[in-house]
Amino acid sequence: MAENNDFNITDIEKVFDKAAKYVQTLASELDSEQLLNLYSLYKQATVGPCNISKPNWYQMQAKQKWEAWKSLGDMDQEVAMNNYIRAVTKINPAWETDAITESHSWTTVSRLPNMEEELLDTDKTFLDWVKEGHEEKVREILQKDTTLTSILDEDGLLPIHWAADRGHVSVMECLIQYGANINSRDIDGQTPLHYAASCGHVDVVKYLLSIGATSMEDNDGMKPKDVADEKVVAIL
């Protein structure tokens, strides 16, 4: 056991699991640096050293997450657990007292929640509604202008790419109903399936495959399975 561990091997996993569940209750209150640190330590603790290829296509969050995890090198999994617990304790020294005991999944934090500044509804654009997963508002706007499904944003992504990235199946269904192509490519040749696979959105991946999405190569020769989160690899 590493010298800087604070718990014995019998206790550390229990405390670590409790800390990971607690993080779910305050994820929205953390900044991007804190979330990246917790993400990388969680992956190191549960998987080990980074074992996926560096994203070589446009997806800022995927790159940030990979770099944070990769920076931990060969850190021992038990050490990572201890460091994760320390990080949570630094955020809230009384977290064990405040911890909610009900079960939560790691899904939200592992993919980092949307860090964009909250906007007033009156200031939101069509893409803002897509990113938020507001299917009713997306449908309302598309009923007036279906061309919005095929307009690339400043980052070279289509609305359907954002829906896949954020895991919004209902919004994807709406976009497709109004003309979005399930195999649409962004400026780097990425399809919605690439985004959903990379982010580990199981429901989105299953949905896309069920309606005929193709496992295409992007501009760098990478297929969705090549960049997929471990939760969806078997599906692809």
Side-chain angles (χ1 to χ4, degrees):
M1 184 181 301
E3 292 182 359
N4 64 342
N5 286 347
D6 299 328
F7 304 92
N8 63 50
I9 193 62
T10 302
D11 296 333
I12 186 173
E13 292 183 5
K14 294 179 181 179
V15 179
F16 171 74
D17 288 341
K18 187 177 180 181
K21 290 182 175 67
Y22 174 70
V23 167
Q24 288 294 309
T25 70
L26 78 162
S28 62
E29 303 172 20
L30 304 179
D31 59 37
S32 58
E33 183 178 350
Q34 290 172 316
L35 286 167
L36 279 171
N37 182 46
L38 289 169
Y39 165 81
S40 62
L41 288 170
Y42 183 90
K43 296 294 285 187
Q44 192 81 9
T46 57
V47 179
C50 184
N51 60 359
I52 60 175
S53 301
K54 181 179 181 180
N56 55 1
W57 42 275
Y58 186 89
Q59 193 172 14
M60 185 61 69
Q61 287 187 351
K63 290 182 179 178
Q64 291 176 330
K65 287 165 27 180
W66 184 90
E67 289 169 355
W69 184 11
K70 188 71 173 178
S71 70
L72 298 182
D74 295 325
M75 179 185 289
D76 181 79
Q77 287 180 266
E78 188 180 340
V79 172
M81 287 185 190
N82 266 312
N83 288 348
Y84 183 95
I85 295 166
R86 290 196 191 95
V88 176
T89 301
K90 183 177 180 180
I91 293 170
N92 178 13
W95 73 265
E96 289 192 80
T97 301
D98 297 341
I100 295 176
T101 57
E102 62 183 280
S103 176
H104 297 277
S105 69
W106 175 252
T107 304
T108 302
V109 173
S110 68
R111 272 185 291 284
L112 301 183
N114 178 16
M115 294 301 184
E116 294 164 1
E117 182 180 357
E118 186 175 351
L119 299 172
L120 296 174
D121 286 356
T122 54
D123 296 328
K124 291 177 182 176
T125 66
F126 174 66
L127 274 183
D128 291 325
W129 292 116
V130 169
K131 294 175 184 179
E132 290 184 8
H134 201 302
E135 186 266 340
E136 183 178 345
K137 192 67 177 180
V138 170
R139 184 177 299 278
E140 177 186 327
I141 295 173
L142 287 176
Q143 287 174 343
K144 299 175 183 178
D145 186 0
T146 60
T147 65
L148 291 172
T149 63
S150 58
I151 297 177
L152 290 169
D153 68 4
E154 61 184 7
D155 296 318
L157 281 70
L158 291 165
I160 196 170
H161 291 115
W162 281 112
D165 178 83
R166 297 293 166 86
H168 302 316
V169 176
S170 63
V171 171
M172 293 194 70
E173 292 175 330
C174 181
L175 291 169
I176 292 168
Q177 180 183 345
Y178 283 89
N181 184 340
I182 61 174
N183 293 315
S184 298
R185 294 177 179 271
D186 67 5
I187 57 172
D188 292 311
Q190 297 291 323
T191 66
L193 193 55
H194 280 94
Y195 281 82
S198 174
C199 292
H201 296 310
V202 176
D203 290 346
V204 178
V205 171
K206 288 182 175 179
Y207 168 68
L208 286 170
L209 292 176
S210 73
I211 59 174
T214 304
S215 184
M216 301 177 176
E217 292 185 353
D218 66 8
N219 296 348
D220 295 306
M222 304 286 281
K223 291 186 175 183
K225 190 170 185 176
D226 297 324
V227 297
D229 181 270
E230 59 266 21
K231 290 188 291 296
V232 300
V233 170
I235 302 173
L236 296 167

